[in-house]
Amino acid sequence: MRNYEVVVIVHPDLDESAFGEVVELVKGWITEDGGTITNVDVWGKRRMAYEIRKQREGQYVLIHTEMQPEAQAELERKLRLQEPIMRFMVTRVEPA
């Protein structure tokens, strides 16, 4: 198992319940492939450096997780297909 940070930028026009559903969906994908979630940090709505899909803001979520490298590739594939997710980044974290 490797440690990863998953940052997801969700469309800013989603209400709280729809935003929560997207976060739960991502968390479900991580756990169904055998990963564990150590921390979920919702940063909220932030202004982005540049426009994405004609939007200047996005709702940010940071998820600290442990999962297999194969599961990381599958997670990225699933994130790419979700319409409300504007951008994402999965980064491997080296142990200290």
Side-chain angles (χ1 to χ4, degrees):
M1 297 279 255
R2 294 182 179 166
N3 293 325
Y4 291 94
E5 286 183 344
V6 181
V7 179
V8 179
I9 303 174
V10 182
H11 198 282
D13 293 340
L14 292 180
D15 61 352
E16 285 186 37
S17 64
F19 174 72
E21 289 175 12
V22 171
V23 172
E24 289 301 318
L25 182 65
V26 174
K27 288 169 43 179
W29 288 336
I30 293 169
T31 56
E32 78 182 13
D33 287 336
T36 59
I37 297 171
T38 56
N39 187 23
V40 178
D41 190 12
V42 178
W43 293 351
K45 196 178 284 191
R46 303 267 174 130
R47 186 164 176 83
M48 297 185 288
Y50 56 89
E51 278 189 13
I52 300 173
R53 298 187 201 161
K54 299 182 181 178
Q55 299 294 320
R56 294 294 294 174
E57 292 184 331
Q59 298 184 66
Y60 285 71
V61 179
L62 171 66
I63 303 171
H64 294 274
T65 182
E66 293 179 359
M67 59 184 157
Q68 297 294 334
E70 304 83 29
Q72 180 258 338
E74 180 66 16
L75 175 65
E76 286 186 358
R77 186 189 72 77
K78 290 176 181 176
L79 289 170
R80 211 172 278 119
L81 297 175
Q82 286 298 308
E83 187 67 30
I85 297 176
M86 299 188 331
R87 287 282 192 277
F88 65 90
M89 182 173 60
V90 180
T91 308
R92 182 175 174 202
V93 178
E94 294 293 328

